[in-house]
């Protein structure tokens, strides 16, 4: 199989996976800094961007987005952004929210896709996106108004993306995960995956962006995410990652990118990766795992966007009216909080009058904030919107 020619099959099985082709894809390429002129550095084939430079680009951030999209699809499949949050105070405030939720949930979420859980292993908070909005709306708004989240998400997914998030804490002695690909098809058993034609498998990787925001420093010994650059380019990878030969190759060729608190890493969900082992005696490595979905895709977690909008509306209304939000911060927070895609809906009760699609929740939220609607009036309008969309 040539690296850049499509395989001559649409349906295949485990026997079609070729470790030598995979080896060639992963070892015959290297990331050329000249291909990413806006990058701050290239380390172990990972493209490193400077968050301060991206923020200062303003309306010219599209040039960064071009390089990000290229890196995720045709390059190493992973980027890191130093100083993704330029002020780590908001990281500390959100970490306090996480701690309260963890305490309420007795310290760890139930289950982990590819690793162990328990008091001395990986800890999880599922759907921490909605839980944090309900627990502390002000901190939620401050955290998710980050314009860089919009820039990176739209570079891969386009507008109206949907945010979900899960906290992952790897405690001292926490074991590494098994190498894998991620949602959608990364969370299917091989017998189910083979039912999808190859073109659908490859397309699915373009519907999700994986990210992790460092809530603590992440030195090597704490086990930052293990990554295999260029592995997202292997067409049969959603079957292959289950096989021992591919897992062994991953373990002998992965790289890790140490992060500082407030840094972030983003990668193509088809990239082979795994959480690393925390070999420290007293350091708890904490990350907010962002799984961001295309407007055209089904997110992994059920998020009640209407409930989030109701919860954060009073805070948003205040800062919207006092002028403390920039236009890019406005775009970031309303996209994160509200559903910006008009479908599916009930077109009998929610017809596209005056346009090609009905009003979205995101559009309603913006309109309410621009008109300085009081919270009760917004709540009624939101309830009416949900009722019209109901089948």
């Amino acid at each position: 199989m040539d690296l850049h020619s499509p395989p001559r099959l649409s349906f295949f099985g485990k026997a079609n996976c070729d470790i030598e082709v995979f080896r060639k894809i992963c070892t015959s390429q290297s990331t050329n800094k000249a291909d990413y002129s806006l990058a701050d550095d290239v380390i172990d084939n990972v493209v490193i961007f400077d968050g301060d430079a991206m923020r200062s680009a303003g309306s010219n951030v599209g040039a960064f987005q071009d390089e990000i999209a290229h890196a995720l699809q045709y390059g190493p499949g992973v980027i890191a952004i130093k100083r993704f949050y330029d002020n780590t105070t908001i990281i500390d405030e959100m970490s306090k929210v996480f701690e309260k939720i963890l305490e309420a949930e007795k310290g760890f979420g139930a289950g982990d896709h590819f690793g162990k859980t328990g008091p001395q292993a990986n800890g999880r908070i599922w759907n921490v996106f909605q839980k944090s909005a309900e627990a502390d709306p002000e901190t939620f708004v401050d955290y998710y108004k980050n314009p860089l989240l919009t820039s990176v998400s739209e570079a891969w997914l386009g507008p109206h993306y949907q945010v979900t998030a899960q906290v992952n804490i790897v405690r001292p002695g926490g074991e590494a995960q098994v190498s894998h690909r991620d949602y959608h098809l990364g969370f299917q058993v091989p017998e189910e995956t083979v039912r999808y034609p190859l073109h659908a498998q490859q397309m699915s990787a373009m519907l999700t962006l994986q990210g992790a925001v460092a809530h603590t420093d992440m030195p090597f010994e704490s086990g930052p995410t293990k990554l295999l650059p260029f592995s997202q380019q292997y067409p049969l990878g959603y079957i292959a990652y289950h096989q021992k030969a591919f897992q062994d190759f991953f373990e002998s060729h992965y790289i890790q990118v140490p992060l500082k608190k407030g840094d972030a890493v983003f990668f193509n969900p088809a990239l082979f990766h795994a959480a690393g082992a925390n070999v420290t005696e007293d350091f708890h490595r904490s990350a907010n795992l962002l799984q961001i979905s295309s407007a055209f895709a089904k997110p992994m977690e059920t998020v009640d966007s209407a409930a989030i909008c109701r919860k954060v509306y009073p805070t948003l209304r205040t800062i919207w009216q006092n002028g403390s939000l920039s236009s890019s911060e406005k775009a970031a927070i309303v996209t994160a909080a509200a559903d910006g895609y008009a479908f599916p809906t009930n077109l009998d009760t929610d017809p596209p009058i005056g346009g090609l699609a009905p009003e979205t929740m995101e559009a309603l939220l913006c309109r309410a904030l621009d008109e300085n609607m009081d919270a009760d009036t917004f709540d009624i309008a939101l309830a009416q919107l949900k009722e019209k969309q109901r089948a």
Side-chain angles (χ1 to χ4, degrees):
M1 185 188 298
D2 184 86
L3 257 62
H4 302 293
S5 64
R8 289 180 170 270
L9 74 169
S10 292
F11 293 90
F12 63 94
K14 298 176 184 178
N16 297 108
C17 298
D18 190 329
I19 188 63
E20 293 307 317
V21 173
F22 186 68
R23 182 189 307 276
K24 184 178 180 182
I25 287 173
C26 296
T27 62
S28 67
Q29 304 180 74
S30 60
T31 305
N32 187 347
K33 173 65 171 64
D35 293 333
Y36 303 98
S37 61
L38 297 176
D40 192 55
D41 201 355
V42 171
I43 300 175
D44 288 335
N45 284 315
V46 178
V47 184
I48 312 295
F49 291 97
D50 183 352
D52 292 337
M54 291 182 66
R55 273 181 286 271
S56 65
S59 61
N60 295 319
V61 74
F64 283 92
Q65 292 176 305
D66 284 337
E67 294 194 1
I68 290 169
H70 184 278
L72 295 176
Q73 179 72 3
Y74 304 107
V78 54
I79 67 163
I81 301 178
K82 299 295 185 182
R83 292 175 290 280
F84 185 71
Y85 282 88
D86 56 345
N87 183 352
T88 58
T89 300
I90 185 56
I91 297 288
D92 295 335
E93 291 303 310
M94 184 58 89
S95 291
K96 293 176 184 177
V97 176
F98 294 164
E99 289 170 6
K100 292 177 182 177
I101 297 171
L102 279 169
E103 178 63 26
E105 297 185 354
K106 307 305 180 185
F108 57 93
D112 187 303
H113 300 296
F114 302 101
K116 296 180 179 179
T117 56
Q120 299 302 319
N122 293 3
R124 288 272 184 168
I125 305 175
W126 299 115
N127 196 10
V128 76
F129 182 72
Q130 182 170 339
K131 290 174 182 176
S132 62
E134 293 171 345
D136 193 327
E138 292 81 6
T139 299
F140 177 90
V141 170
D142 283 345
Y143 190 90
Y144 286 105
K145 72 181 183 182
N146 186 351
L148 296 193
L149 178 60
T150 302
S151 299
V152 177
S153 300
E154 291 191 350
W156 186 240
L157 303 169
H160 310 309
Y161 54 83
Q162 305 159 84
V163 180
T164 62
Q166 308 89 35
V167 167
N168 186 35
I169 298 175
V170 181
R171 300 184 175 91
E175 298 179 9
Q177 290 179 327
V178 176
S179 60
H180 59 277
R181 285 181 164 187
D182 268 344
Y183 186 78
H184 297 69
L185 290 174
F187 292 178
Q188 300 290 336
V189 295
E191 293 75 18
E192 182 69 13
T193 302
V194 296
R195 300 177 62 193
Y196 292 88
L198 186 58
H199 64 268
Q201 294 187 33
Q202 293 176 291
M203 172 274 296
S204 73
M206 300 180 188
L207 298 176
T208 308
L209 177 65
Q210 298 297 136
V213 177
H215 273 243
T216 60
D217 289 348
M218 293 187 178
F220 283 117
E221 59 270 20
S222 73
T225 304
K226 302 190 292 187
L227 308 157
L228 184 57
F230 306 106
S231 58
Q232 86 283 1
Q233 297 179 16
Y234 183 57
L236 311 188
Y238 284 109
I239 297 296
Y241 89 74
H242 295 273
Q243 300 182 14
K244 186 176 186 303
F246 289 83
Q247 293 173 356
D248 290 346
F249 181 87
F250 174 88
E251 289 301 325
S252 61
H253 290 83
Y254 71 81
I255 59 92
Q256 291 172 287
V257 180
L259 302 173
K260 295 289 187 181
K261 182 168 63 174
D263 293 349
V265 63
F266 292 92
F267 53 90
N268 185 317
L271 190 80
F272 282 48
H273 66 281
N278 185 348
V279 298
T280 70
E281 295 182 356
D282 57 2
F283 187 85
H284 293 249
R285 190 187 88 235
S286 178
N288 189 22
L289 305 183
L290 301 176
Q291 188 176 83
I292 308 164
S293 296
S294 163
F296 309 139
K298 291 183 177 181
M300 186 178 71
E301 293 187 301
T302 300
V303 173
D304 189 341
S305 297
I308 291 175
C309 286
R310 290 189 185 96
K311 196 71 177 180
V312 304
Y313 186 79
T315 298
L316 264 182
R317 181 188 177 201
T318 298
I319 60 178
W320 200 279
Q321 295 301 319
N322 69 20
S324 61
L325 286 176
S326 68
S327 58
S328 58
E329 288 175 330
K330 287 180 178 180
I333 187 58
V334 298
T335 301
D339 186 351
Y341 195 58
F343 305 104
T345 190
N346 184 341
L347 289 171
D348 282 326
T349 56
D350 191 27
I353 297 174
L356 297 176
E359 184 178 46
T360 66
M361 187 185 301
E362 182 182 320
L364 171 60
L365 177 59
C366 288
R367 178 166 64 84
L369 291 165
D370 286 340
E371 295 175 2
N372 197 20
M373 218 180 263
D374 64 70
D376 289 341
T377 303
F378 172 68
D379 188 51
I380 292 170
L382 189 58
Q384 290 173 338
L385 175 69
K386 296 299 292 180
E387 183 63 30
K388 287 192 296 183
Q389 292 174 335
R390 187 174 302 166

